[in-house]
Amino acid sequence: QVQLIESGGGLVQAGGSLRLSCAASGRTLSSYVMGWFRQAPGKEREFVARIWSDGTTYYADSVKGRFTMSRDNAKNMVYLQINSLKPEDTAVYYCAAGRSYSLASTSSGYSYWGQGTQVTVSS
């Protein structure tokens, strides 16, 4: 079992930045594909970013160039640096861990999820 706890969300003005963190316990994350997803009110959960165990990243088009995902395997942590925030980035952001490379851009590719952290961007 892997337990994931996100932190770092908050209320920020458009154009601001946040750094989300995801702390894992139970197992080492080094061999897992890690992902960030978000869910806005009334919308389905959507893929944001993922990172392979070797650090290779991939982003949704809507966040490319503004979001940066990273991992620190030694600390069992995953991060999401969010810059140039827009009101449409408002959502609950979830960290996830999985083993599937082929499904890493979909929710079904992940077995473990955190409880989420709220990001609210004011205009």
Side-chain angles (χ1 to χ4, degrees):
Q1 287 283 358
V2 177
Q3 293 80 42
L4 303 172
I5 300 177
E6 303 93 336
S7 62
L11 173 62
V12 296
Q13 290 188 334
S17 298
L18 283 174
R19 188 193 194 206
L20 306 185
S21 298
C22 174
S25 61
R27 290 184 181 177
T28 180
L29 289 184
S30 60
S31 62
Y32 283 85
V33 176
M34 300 299 299
W36 283 99
F37 289 75
R38 66 186 182 185
Q39 188 166 18
K43 295 187 177 181
E44 293 187 355
R45 188 173 298 186
E46 66 172 354
F47 167 79
V48 173
R50 59 90 175 132
I51 188 167
W52 291 161
S53 56
D54 67 356
T56 303
T57 53
Y58 178 79
Y59 302 93
D61 288 342
S62 59
V63 307
K64 205 172 293 183
R66 299 188 298 122
F67 289 21
T68 302
M69 186 175 183
S70 60
R71 66 192 300 163
D72 186 335
N73 290 332
K75 295 183 178 179
N76 239 24
M77 296 287 295
V78 175
Y79 306 98
L80 187 68
Q81 178 68 40
I82 308 176
N83 298 328
S84 303
L85 276 159
K86 304 175 181 180
E88 52 263 43
D89 294 321
T90 295
V92 177
Y93 284 71
Y94 297 91
C95 173
R99 297 287 197 182
S100 175
Y101 281 69
S102 61
L103 297 176
S105 298
T106 66
S107 299
S108 57
Y110 297 86
S111 302
Y112 304 102
W113 294 82
Q115 84 291 346
T117 185
Q118 176 71 47
V119 172
T120 303
V121 184
S122 63
S123 57

